[in-house]
């Protein structure tokens, strides 16, 4: 196999998997690890990928990279809908009376599932730091919606800062649904912005049960700021069951994985 063809296949594998290791690629193409590293160096120079310790990730996956809410709302729609329905089912099965909804496209999909809150069902208290979610749910019968205050970040339309953290810490909700930009075996849960990370960490601390929603593209990703170790959460709702090192780390941490 010529180097150009192998590098094209390497680029396709990185785009598909989100992260690949040097060892995996060497075995896949029956070449030495030194050959793989040269291929990765060439592809990084061409702007196709970015090398990280032990392998490579897509070029756009820098630790501070963050898509806008409007961009994320049109990505992986079917997967997010399945994840949201599974997450919303936890509200019923756990008989939760109060929930926290983090800002983000996956948690907003959970909010969409609450739009048809049945008449006669017990009132559900919904707390959120997300302007779009509060606006969407404010007029739904049977939902008592509380918007957490703070400075609004334009990219996610989320309230952040000490005011939001203080508001969260005065409560003990039954469930918290939290988004993440990265879910990593060693680094845990992460997001690019320090202020959003602080609010997410407060969500994890204060809820009786912390549920993270993250599709498979977030696996093995380390965004800039950690907001929790894997053993700080109870459940991961995703679209594809993790494998390898991440699967083992989640199991060791006692995290329930739901992949509808």
């Amino acid at each position: 196999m010529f180097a150009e063809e192998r590098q094209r296949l390497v680029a396709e594998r990185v785009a598909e998997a989100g992260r690949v290791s040097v060892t995996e690629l060497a075995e896949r193409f029956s070449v030495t690890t030194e050959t793989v590293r040269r291929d990765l160096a060439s592809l990084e120079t061409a702007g196709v990928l970015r090398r990280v310790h032990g392998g490579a990730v897509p070029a756009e996956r820098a630790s501070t990279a963050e898509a806008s809410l409007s961009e994320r709302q049109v990505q992986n729609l079917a997967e997010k809908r399945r994840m949201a329905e599974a997450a919303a089912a936890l509200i019923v099965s756990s008989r939760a009376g109060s929930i926290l909804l983090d800002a983000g496209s996956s948690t907003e999909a959970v909010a969409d599932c609450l739009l048809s809150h049945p008449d006669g069902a017990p009132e559900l208290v919904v707390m959120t730091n997300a302007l779009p979610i509060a606006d969407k749910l404010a007029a739904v019968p049977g939902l008592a919606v509380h918007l957490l205050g703070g400075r609004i970040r334009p990219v996610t339309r989320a309230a952040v800062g000490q005011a939001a953290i203080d508001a969260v810490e005065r409560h003990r909700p039954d469930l918290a649904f939290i988004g993440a930009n990265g879910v990593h075996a060693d680094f845990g849960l992460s997001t690019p912005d320090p202020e959003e990370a602080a609010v997410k960490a407060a969500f994890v601390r204060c809820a009786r049960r912390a549920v993270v929603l993250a599709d498979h593209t977030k696996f093995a990703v380390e965004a800039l700021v950690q907001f929790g170790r894997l053993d700080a959460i109870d459940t991961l709702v995703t679209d594809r069951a993790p494998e390898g090192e991440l699967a083992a780390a989640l199991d060791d941490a006692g995290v329930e994985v739901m992949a509808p």
Side-chain angles (χ1 to χ4, degrees):
M1 181 183 296
F2 292 111
E4 292 81 1
E5 181 182 359
R6 185 178 61 249
Q7 289 174 15
R8 177 181 61 79
L9 293 173
V10 168
E12 290 177 356
R13 177 59 183 160
V14 172
E16 174 189 350
R19 183 183 179 116
V20 295
S21 71
V22 170
T23 302
E24 171 197 339
L25 293 174
E27 293 176 353
R28 186 183 185 94
F29 297 108
S30 300
V31 296
T32 65
T33 55
E34 289 76 13
T35 297
V36 171
R37 290 190 177 93
R38 286 195 295 271
D39 286 342
L40 296 181
S42 296
L43 291 167
E44 184 176 51
T45 300
V48 174
L49 52 75
R50 184 169 62 88
R51 287 184 292 173
V52 297
H53 179 70
V57 297
E60 70 274 10
R61 192 169 284 180
S63 64
T64 56
E66 187 173 16
S68 68
L69 181 60
S70 59
E71 290 172 324
R72 284 182 283 167
Q73 284 173 329
V74 297
Q75 296 171 345
N76 304 326
L77 294 180
E79 292 85 352
K80 286 179 181 175
R81 181 66 186 179
R82 291 199 305 273
M83 290 163 52
E85 289 173 348
L90 292 175
I91 301 172
V92 177
S93 63
S94 66
R95 299 184 179 180
S98 57
I99 65 171
L100 276 169
L101 284 177
D102 185 22
S105 57
S106 294
T107 48
E108 189 167 343
V110 177
D112 288 336
C113 294
L114 299 179
L115 292 176
S116 56
H117 188 75
D119 293 336
E123 183 177 85
L124 180 66
V125 175
V126 180
M127 291 174 280
T128 183
N129 67 325
L131 287 178
I133 291 176
D135 183 61
K136 183 172 288 189
L137 297 181
V140 177
L143 299 183
V145 180
H146 299 255
L147 177 61
L148 305 175
R151 182 183 67 82
I152 303 300
R153 285 193 72 224
V155 69
T156 57
R157 300 185 69 195
V160 297
Q162 194 59 48
I165 294 170
D166 290 344
V168 173
E169 291 183 336
R170 287 194 294 270
H171 297 86
R172 183 74 163 152
D174 296 315
L175 285 171
F177 296 102
I178 306 154
N181 295 73
V183 182
H184 190 275
D186 297 320
F187 195 57
L189 310 160
S190 57
T191 196
D193 182 74
E195 288 192 296
E196 289 222 27
V199 175
K200 291 174 186 288
F203 278 23
V204 172
R205 287 194 305 272
C206 296
R208 299 181 188 276
R209 181 177 181 183
V211 180
V212 166
L213 290 90
D215 65 37
H216 72 279
T217 64
K218 314 297 174 54
F219 294 170
V221 173
E222 298 168 280
L224 181 63
V225 187
Q226 182 197 84
F227 67 86
R229 307 295 299 187
L230 293 181
D231 60 7
I233 65 169
D234 301 283
T235 305
L236 171 67
V237 180
T238 184
D239 62 330
R240 185 185 303 176
E243 299 177 348
E245 186 179 4
L246 179 56
L250 288 163
D251 186 60
D252 289 344
V255 178
E256 175 190 17
V257 176
M258 299 176 61

